[in-house]
Amino acid sequence: MRNLLRFLLCLSLFGTLSLKGAFLSAEPRTLYKPANIATAKENIELYTWARDILDNWKKNAEYAMSKDRAFFEMMLEPLTPWPFYGQSCPACVGKQSSMGETSLYNWDVHEPDKIVCKYCGTVYPNADYPETGTLTCPEMGQVFSYYRTEEERVHPDDLSGKYAFRWASWPVHTSFSGVIRAKKAGWCVAQILPLAKLYALTGDIHYAEQAAMIMDIVADRYPNWLYHSYNGTFADCPPGEAAAEIGRNPRAGKFPIETIVTAFPGLHTRDGYATLNNGFWGAGRFGCSGSDGGMILNMAVAWDLIHEARRSDGSPVISGDMKTRIVNDLLIAGADDSENWAEINNKCGPGRAMSAAIGILFDRPASVRRAIEGFDALMERSFHFDGFCRESPSYSAMHLNLMRNIPEILLGYSDPAGYTEPDGSRIDSFNPFVEKDRYRLAYESMVRMLDFNDRFPVIGDTHFGSGIDPIYAEVLVAHYDHSYGTAAMLNYALGASSSEKGSEYALWHRPRIEANADEYGKKFESEWFPGWHVSVMRGEGFTGMTSLYFNGYTHGGHRHYDTLGISYSALGHELASDRGYIWDDPRNAWTKSTLAHNIVTVDGGNQNAENCHSKLGLFGSSLIAEVTEASANAYEQCSLYKRTTALLSMVHSTSCALDIFRVRGGKNHIYSLNCNGNLSGTSGLELHHSGRSIKWLENIQAATPEGTFSTTWEHGGMYFQMIMVNPVDTLMIADAPGWRNNRGEALNAPPIQQVLAERSDPEGYSDFVTLLVPYKKKRGTTPVTEINTLLYEKGPGNIALEIVHNEGRNYVFSFEDSKERSFGPLTAAGRFGYAMFDTSGKLTGAYLLEGTELTAGGEGITLDQANYSFKVSSVEGRTFTLSDPIPAGLDIRGKTVIAGETGYAVMSSTRNSITVRNYPAIMCDSVTVLDEGTYIK
């Protein structure tokens, strides 16, 4: 490994040293290749939306095109930009704005020397809020000013940060002058690539000249911009040396203490050295989010488009000192900085794409291989084998957006003529879209996970309200021929015909396609995602818009402590909810906690943070019932932590959900449930004010229920009723935080009401059995008139219920074995079953999963076996090859096959193989097919 690293380093150095003699092709070779340019020109010729994009670029470029060099030299100041992160508005912080927001200030290029708080309208700089603090980097001769809070000015000798504004876990200073400086520089840098693209599509040399001129000034400033972190910490040394040190000693270097300059001495010191906060993750010369890889990438792509531009007299737009400065002091220097960063994470994509572009432009095969290695590692480490992100839906979007340019740049790459690796290998006509099928699955996952409103499930750190984006369909259309990548699906995502609407990606990549918007029917299915360990039950046979998510995912980056949590939307409304992403805010301590979720908390603590994972037990789907059952090692003290959640067809084919949570171990168990809106009523409870104090919760009321009780929320013209069947010791109702983001707009969001059902058992046994019933407000009363426990076995937690409603009686059971039992009118042997009877007592529908019988009066379901197990001899693609034959006549299509700790839907089978739907099969010794049956009268 060391020899390989030395070899790659030598190649990198060779690329740098031989730069001046490197061959520069006149034809663009990075993000926008000749084929992309030709596609864009054709789209402009054919479609109004494409012409609108070009016209908008031209319009936006007018101001930059009207300015001379002196203007841009004024805008691009030599002093290092200040970070955008963690800023606060002293005029309205805690009232209208949150402390430590990122996009806090509005800025206008026509009034470049001021910023305006987007909440309260206060203009800065402001005499009422002077920048009395200074931060000095004596070695590099730079001095920064910042605002000190009133409390800091009262206590000038206290430099601990106690009285400063805070962001995440750090004290952070706001610098109005610094933010203005960063805004001005950011605007200038943002002009370069659009100008270069305009040149590529119009041939107007003036665009190339202006882009080159601005890039030249950036190249002049870049060597003097210091490495700094997003909490206002600076490295007082040459920036290239700072980057190299971070690379030598990840994660944040080992600098002499005096080199790391912060307003809070000791903030980033260790045993005799200092760190630059958390290194490349939050540091750069220009920006502070994943090094400067993205900025250098844009400069490299712009260079690719304009570096061979010539005026009508044949003179080059870029030559001499300008060429040397841009290449050596900006492009190569920036690339060398970023290539010190070896980590794979959600911010590294632009830096790896930058390596691809720099490697292609300047014949640096080691840089190209860094990009390929990064792309491979991102897919392997950041996405499960089914394409779902290991972090959250929002972070899946972030990953894909930031890494999208890597495969686009690499497409078609070949090593320089005559180049080979030490083993004699080389790369020719590389196609990453074919090489990495998980990339296709990642884009498909962005569609598969959507709820009925085309929004992402609010799982983990996911922004509430985020959802479908046509870019996912665009990439599939451009590079794949697949059912989820059809032109009609693109039209659906666009909300219009592809001939009428398009994005910039479409401009460069979308082939000419013809499809009507109504050709695409949503292909969303109820399914268990085998790598992500999340199920979505959609009520395929029910009316109304329904999504019940069962979150069996494992903890990781940006995860909440809620393995086996649920969220439930029905009849078009989000009901049992998750607060989502509060970003790097102290309030995230609540929103990520187990107690904040719809789940069971054991002994008052969060679930295990390390190595927590779930194991699928059951998954099945029919026209009248769908069910997911999984267990997790969420608490060390628990021998069992298992949830069974079923979506059941109810009155008028609407849905309700049965939720059974079995816990064995620990001393105290709290079942939590919350809903948007307000609690409107209770039944079976006598509430009183409680003396309990639970952090983040207010107005706690309590009751000691006698048997079955219910609570009802009201939200958006809906009622949502929770009926808890089993006894609990204490029922608490509390006001819980209602905010769903960290921005000022949500700062004073009204609370939501959370129910917390508490049980203590000397043996550590708890079985929480709950029915969740949504119904429209106009109905006035719940459709469920009575619920009765017909069978309960405490040890295994076996349960059978009768649900009485105004159209009949339904029966549902959940057992830990398939032993035959009788209750009500039913005889049942199986793990899960549901039966529906009309008012006359006639069986109208039944569903049985992993069982052999569910009958009433001789009618219903009988199966030969509850399940079928087969040894696996080999696995390839989506197919398990079996050692034993499947019994003749057994049809297992559509049924669930359990493999290891997960499961799949069976697509097809032969006598000795099972092919699953959609996702790669995992290696395992054996598989089990869960038999199921449906009866519809």
Side-chain angles (χ1 to χ4, degrees):
M1 176 60 73
R2 289 180 179 175
N3 290 335
L4 174 61
L5 291 174
R6 288 196 191 100
F7 173 72
L8 294 176
L9 177 61
C10 289
L11 285 178
S12 177
L13 290 173
F14 174 80
T16 301
L17 293 172
S18 63
L19 170 66
K20 292 182 180 178
F23 172 73
L24 301 177
S25 169
E27 198 170 71
R29 299 188 290 162
T30 59
L31 189 58
Y32 306 115
K33 301 172 179 69
N36 302 116
I37 295 172
T39 295
K41 289 181 177 180
E42 182 180 9
N43 282 329
I44 290 168
E45 183 71 24
L46 290 172
Y47 303 117
T48 300
W49 62 262
R51 291 191 291 275
D52 288 344
I53 290 174
L54 183 65
D55 291 342
N56 192 51
W57 285 349
K58 290 177 180 179
K59 182 178 179 180
N60 290 340
E62 288 176 357
Y63 192 71
M65 290 296 293
S66 71
K67 297 301 179 180
D68 60 11
R69 188 179 185 97
F71 171 83
F72 286 100
E73 287 180 338
M74 176 273 294
M75 294 281 283
L76 287 156
E77 298 182 33
L79 187 61
T80 305
W82 192 266
F84 288 155
Y85 280 79
Q87 301 298 287
S88 298
C89 171
C92 71
V93 64
K95 302 171 186 175
Q96 294 172 267
S97 61
S98 296
M99 187 181 296
E101 290 200 42
T102 297
S103 301
L104 180 59
Y105 302 110
N106 292 325
W107 177 85
D108 189 335
V109 68
H110 298 94
E111 297 180 283
D113 292 314
K114 73 176 187 180
I115 51 177
V116 181
C117 174
K118 69 180 182 181
Y119 296 108
C120 68
T122 301
V123 177
Y124 299 99
N126 191 304
D128 292 336
Y129 306 99
E131 294 188 349
T132 59
T134 58
L135 196 67
T136 302
C137 294
E139 180 69 22
M140 299 302 291
Q142 297 195 26
V143 180
F144 308 92
S145 63
Y146 55 84
Y147 171 76
R148 302 188 77 209
T149 67
E150 182 177 344
E151 292 82 0
E152 286 183 290
R153 296 196 298 273
V154 171
H155 303 87
D157 297 327
D158 189 334
L159 302 179
S160 66
K162 175 181 178 181
Y163 302 104
F165 293 136
R166 300 192 73 84
W167 169 59
S169 60
W170 305 297
V172 174
H173 280 132
T174 291
S175 172
F176 312 118
S177 60
V179 170
I180 289 170
R181 191 166 60 252
K183 293 278 191 182
K184 289 160 68 174
W187 180 85
C188 294
V189 169
Q191 305 309 301
I192 296 171
L193 184 53
L195 291 171
K197 290 187 285 193
L198 280 169
Y199 167 70
L201 294 180
T202 67
D204 187 336
I205 198 66
H206 297 96
Y207 290 125
E209 290 175 328
Q210 198 76 343
M213 182 261 286
I214 303 171
M215 197 186 303
D216 185 41
I217 301 172
V218 175
D220 179 72
R221 304 295 194 248
Y222 197 69
N224 300 309
W225 283 342
L226 305 184
Y227 253 77
H228 59 291
S229 175
Y230 52 10
N231 71 340
T233 305
F234 290 75
D236 187 17
C237 64
E241 293 180 12
E245 173 55 30
I246 298 172
R248 276 192 297 269
N249 290 293
R251 184 178 194 192
K254 292 183 177 181
F255 294 89
I257 290 176
E258 65 273 12
T259 297
I260 300 302
V261 178
T262 171
F264 311 103
L267 180 61
H268 296 302
T269 59
R270 303 290 187 271
D271 296 330
Y273 68 90
T275 63
L276 187 58
N277 194 0
N278 54 8
F280 288 117
W281 179 270
R285 304 193 201 194
F286 173 73
C288 296
S289 186
S291 80
D292 287 341
M295 179 263 212
I296 298 300
L297 169 64
N298 287 342
M299 298 302 97
V301 173
W303 169 267
D304 188 29
L305 295 174
I306 68 172
H307 75 271
E308 288 292 327
R310 293 182 177 273
R311 302 179 181 90
S312 58
D313 63 3
S315 62
V317 168
I318 304 175
S319 62
D321 291 344
M322 179 187 287
K323 182 175 183 179
T324 300
R325 192 161 39 244
I326 292 173
V327 172
N328 291 337
D329 296 345
L330 179 60
L331 300 179
I332 296 301
D336 288 345
D337 279 4
S338 291
E339 290 189 350
N340 284 293
W341 193 18
E343 293 182 31
I344 298 297
N345 50 55
N346 57 40
K347 289 187 177 182
C348 77
R352 298 292 174 146
M354 175 273 301
S355 286
I358 293 294
I360 290 168
L361 287 173
F362 303 114
D363 288 348
R364 291 171 31 139
S367 291
V368 174
R369 279 159 176 76
R370 179 178 184 271
I372 295 172
E373 181 268 333
F375 182 65
D376 289 346
L378 276 166
M379 296 313 305
E380 293 294 332
R381 300 182 200 176
S382 302
F383 293 85
H384 297 289
F385 64 82
D386 57 2
F388 287 85
C389 184
R390 296 181 186 273
E391 295 188 77
S392 73
S394 279
Y395 274 82
S396 186
M398 179 180 180
H399 269 292
L400 292 173
N401 288 337
L402 292 180
M403 69 185 295
R404 183 173 301 122
N405 289 331
I406 304 175
E408 301 289 356
I409 293 171
L410 291 172
L411 182 61
Y413 169 78
S414 294
D415 281 329
Y419 175 84
T420 59
E421 292 283 284
D423 62 2
S425 65
R426 57 177 281 113
I427 299 172
D428 286 295
S429 301
F430 184 60
N431 188 338
F433 297 98
V434 172
E435 295 283 337
K436 218 57 175 172
D437 192 55
R438 192 177 297 187
Y439 190 60
R440 172 184 61 82
L441 288 172
Y443 276 92
E444 290 184 6
S445 77
M446 306 305 283
V447 177
R448 294 186 195 277
M449 74 172 78
L450 296 173
D451 70 8
F452 51 78
N453 283 321
D454 298 326
R455 292 178 177 175
F456 297 145
V458 184
I459 292 176
D461 275 341
T462 294
H463 299 280
F464 166 69
S466 59
I468 195 168
D469 189 321
I471 187 61
Y472 310 125
E474 293 280 14
V475 173
L476 291 168
V477 166
H479 296 290
Y480 299 103
D481 179 18
H482 191 267
S483 61
Y484 270 78
T486 63
M489 191 270 279
L490 172 60
N491 289 337
Y492 174 79
L494 290 170
S497 169
S498 58
S499 63
E500 300 172 357
K501 195 172 181 180
S503 63
E504 182 183 343
Y505 185 91
L507 178 70
W508 300 100
H509 297 279
R510 187 194 291 170
R512 186 175 182 179
I513 53 178
E514 300 293 341
N516 295 321
D518 60 0
E519 288 180 4
Y520 179 75
K522 279 191 181 181
K523 298 181 179 172
F524 300 164
E525 300 161 310
S526 296
E527 60 179 320
W528 168 266
F529 304 116
W532 195 23
H533 277 222
V534 169
S535 79
V536 54
M537 293 172 277
R538 302 185 186 277
E540 293 181 70
F542 315 162
T543 59
M545 296 178 287
T546 303
S547 301
L548 175 54
Y549 289 92
F550 185 109
N551 311 332
Y553 65 79
T554 56
H555 298 315
H558 287 279
R559 290 298 191 187
H560 292 199
Y561 302 119
D562 68 329
T563 299
L564 305 191
I566 62 169
S567 56
Y568 184 20
S569 298
L571 299 172
H573 293 269
E574 181 195 42
L575 299 170
S577 60
D578 188 290
R579 295 297 88 195
Y581 196 11
I582 310 298
W583 201 55
D584 298 315
D585 187 289
R587 291 172 290 172
N588 196 35
W590 168 251
T591 55
K592 72 180 181 181
S593 69
T594 303
L595 195 62
H597 294 84
N598 303 313
I599 204 165
V600 170
T601 301
V602 177
D603 295 336
N606 287 328
Q607 293 180 346
N608 299 329
E610 300 294 331
N611 301 315
C612 181
H613 63 276
S614 65
K615 179 179 181 180
L616 181 66
L618 297 174
F619 182 81
S621 177
S622 73
L623 293 178
I624 63 170
E626 302 175 16
V627 61
T628 304
E629 180 177 282
S631 57
N633 61 336
Y635 287 96
E636 292 180 359
Q637 64 268 46
C638 292
S639 61
L640 182 70
Y641 188 81
K642 181 163 72 172
R643 188 170 212 160
T644 306
T645 303
L647 188 65
L648 308 175
S649 178
M650 276 292 290
V651 179
H652 303 303
S653 297
T654 57
S655 71
C656 71
L658 173 69
D659 188 36
I660 303 174
F661 215 123
R662 300 174 174 95
V663 183
R664 306 290 181 266
K667 298 179 179 179
N668 179 270
H669 308 143
I670 296 179
Y671 176 99
S672 297
L673 186 74
N674 66 66
C675 177
N676 294 326
N678 299 293
L679 204 67
S680 62
T682 63
S683 176
L685 299 172
E686 291 187 14
L687 292 167
H688 60 271
H689 288 288
S690 170
R692 292 280 287 271
S693 176
I694 301 174
K695 189 175 182 181
W696 303 103
L697 299 180
E698 297 179 349
N699 190 28
I700 300 176
Q701 301 179 75
T704 303
E706 298 286 339
T708 299
F709 63 91
S710 71
T711 60
T712 303
W713 290 265
E714 182 179 350
H715 173 62
M718 292 284 298
Y719 286 121
F720 184 58
Q721 183 183 32
M722 182 198 83
I723 306 172
M724 184 161 279
V725 177
N726 61 303
V728 299
D729 298 334
T730 304
L731 187 284
M732 292 176 284
I733 297 175
D735 288 347
W739 14 257
R740 306 197 77 169
N741 62 60
N742 72 309
R743 298 185 293 273
E745 64 200 37
L747 189 63
N748 299 307
I752 60 171
Q753 279 71 57
Q754 182 166 335
V755 168
L756 302 101
E758 183 176 40
R759 293 191 81 255
S760 296
D761 184 274
E763 297 177 310
Y765 277 43
S766 280
D767 296 310
F768 294 96
V769 182
T770 307
L771 193 69
L772 306 176
V773 185
Y775 58 100
K776 292 184 178 180
K777 187 175 179 180
K778 64 183 180 181
R779 287 183 59 90
T781 60
T782 173
V784 176
T785 58
E786 188 178 339
I787 184 165
N788 301 304
T789 301
L790 302 183
L791 182 152
Y792 176 63
E793 299 171 359
K794 177 180 177 181
N798 294 328
I799 186 82
L801 302 174
E802 177 187 50
I803 304 168
V804 183
H805 55 87
N806 52 20
E807 291 188 356
R809 298 170 184 262
N810 297 350
Y811 298 85
V812 60
F813 68 85
S814 173
F815 297 153
E816 291 294 277
D817 56 48
S818 296
K819 185 173 69 175
E820 183 177 300
R821 296 173 175 86
S822 295
F823 49 89
L826 294 171
T827 298
R831 294 288 314 287
F832 176 84
Y834 184 55
M836 305 172 67
F837 292 80
D838 62 19
T839 53
S840 68
K842 181 182 297 184
L843 179 67
T844 60
Y847 174 69
L848 176 66
L849 177 62
E850 198 174 14
T852 56
E853 183 178 6
L854 179 55
T855 60
E859 288 191 278
I861 303 166
T862 56
L863 302 172
D864 292 336
Q865 290 181 214
N867 58 54
Y868 296 84
S869 293
F870 306 96
K871 291 183 178 180
V872 175
S873 60
S874 64
V875 177
E876 183 176 356
R878 294 185 289 114
T879 299
F880 296 100
T881 299
L882 310 177
S883 300
D884 305 315
I886 296 175
L890 178 63
D891 185 3
I892 62 173
R893 288 175 299 175
K895 297 178 181 178
T896 297
V897 57
I898 301 293
E901 296 187 338
T902 192
Y904 302 82
V906 177
M907 187 180 77
S908 63
S909 65
T910 66
R911 286 300 302 277
N912 66 346
S913 72
I914 296 174
T915 299
V916 298
R917 192 175 66 194
N918 300 329
Y919 311 109
I922 62 169
M923 294 296 299
C924 55
D925 295 329
S926 63
V927 296
T928 299
V929 176
L930 308 181
D931 208 358
E932 62 181 349
T934 301
Y935 171 89
I936 302 292
K937 184 68 173 179

